[in-house]
Amino acid sequence: MEESTFDTRTMLSHLPRVEIAHLPTPLEEMHRLSKTLGGPRLLIKRDDQTGLATGGNKARKLEFLVADALAQRATTLITTGAPQSNHCRQTAAAAARFGLRAVLVLSGEPPADQTGNLLLDTLLGAEVRWAGGREREAVMAEVVEEEREAGRVPYVVPYGGSNAVGATGYVLAMAELMAQLARRNLQVQRIVFASSSGGTQAGLVVGAKAFGFMGRIEGISVDKSRPVLQEWVHRLAAKTAAYIGLRSTFTPTEFTIHDEYLGGGYGVMGDAEREAIRLVAQTEGILLDPVYTGRAMAGLIDLVRRGVYRPDETIVFWHTGGIPALFAYRHELV
Ligand SMILES: Cc1ncc(COP(=O)(O)O)c(C=O)c1O
């Protein structure tokens, strides 16, 4: 098989990468949650512990994105997201770590309460631009021009860090998980996680092809319909495979996406997310976030309760971070 000839070391040696994340992240059992649900054996991959200014999945992507920026002699990282973007906060932290400027273009108007990720953006020294009623991309293009005029070298980190360069972090994350599973002699039927800009899912699926993971990889969409996210992740996976030199083809149906947990839409916390956050906090002492991992865990819980995920299975929930947003949702949580 073409996949089996792929060698991690080759990949590591030719791709520019800087060290940011605390790796490998722990893989832990969630015995009490499994028992409470009367469901499958549940493990959790702690990418909330990647170590970059309160952790999260962007640290793995930024190892490759920052390396690319430095190779281009960039002086400023520019990126975009929602006011409570974890991606923006982690990009600001990575910029600080490498002595770069960070400009974050956030959607909407400045909120009265500058808490959660937004507070951390400011502490990390990032400049925040509010897009107001304008398209974030148009504002980013303006910032790029301004940086150039000021004699600086801008590098645009894509939304969510999700291009082929960023997704490479999750190709390697799959190798990391497989090594942990092999050491414990564990067979896993599914990996479940929050999916939005697609870099995590694309990277994991490419990693599964590259290293021969046989289980299912299931993204719980937090904001997009299945066909839209599936098509996007499919294209991103193809680009990621090409970027790392893996000769492989993909079909959209290889990307399992659940879009039945969108609730009130992006960033709207409902009863399901609230229940999931409380349940995991009170059975495992682990914090989930209101926007991504709370929604993904709510999906997993529902799939267990409906018997889609069977008690004889072993499932890894991939915790992708997002903790600071809890503070921005404090009035809806208690
Ligand atoms: C906490 C958290 N989980 C999951 C995601 C989704 O990851 P991806 O954008 O790679 O699909 C994000 C990204 O925005 C996030 O911040």
Side-chain angles (χ1 to χ4, degrees), residues 47-48 55-58 61 84-90 117 159-162 167 170 193-203 220 222-224 229 232-233 236 266 289 291-294 296 318-325:
D47 277 15
D48 57 321
N57 62 346
K58 304 306 183 275
K61 300 178 182 184
Q84 281 300 325
S85 166
N86 301 297
H87 162 67
C88 287
R89 178 250 311 161
Q90 291 210 285
N117 282 302
Y159 181 72
S162 286
Y170 271 88
F193 53 93
S195 196
S196 175
S197 70
T200 304
Q201 189 156 8
I220 310 276
V222 303
D223 55 359
K224 296 176 189 66
L229 187 54
W232 169 252
V233 180
L236 182 53
Y266 178 81
D289 82 287
V291 181
Y292 298 93
T293 54
W318 207 304
H319 192 327
T320 46
I323 310 303

Side-chain angles (χ1 to χ4, degrees), residues 227-264:
V228 168
L229 187 54
Q230 201 172 47
E231 182 50 35
W232 169 252
V233 180
H234 174 220
R235 267 194 266 146
L236 182 53
K239 287 185 202 157
T240 306
Y243 177 70
I244 64 167
L246 175 70
R247 289 180 52 208
S248 235
T249 52
F250 301 89
T251 55
T253 50
E254 283 176 81
F255 301 88
T256 305
I257 285 157
H258 297 272
D259 66 358
E260 58 273 41
Y261 303 106
L262 297 174

Side-chain angles (χ1 to χ4, degrees), residues 145-167:
E145 274 318 302
E146 285 172 27
E147 290 297 302
R148 285 203 183 114
E149 276 164 24
R152 295 189 278 258
V153 183
Y155 181 92
V156 174
V157 178
Y159 181 72
S162 286
N163 60 7
V165 177

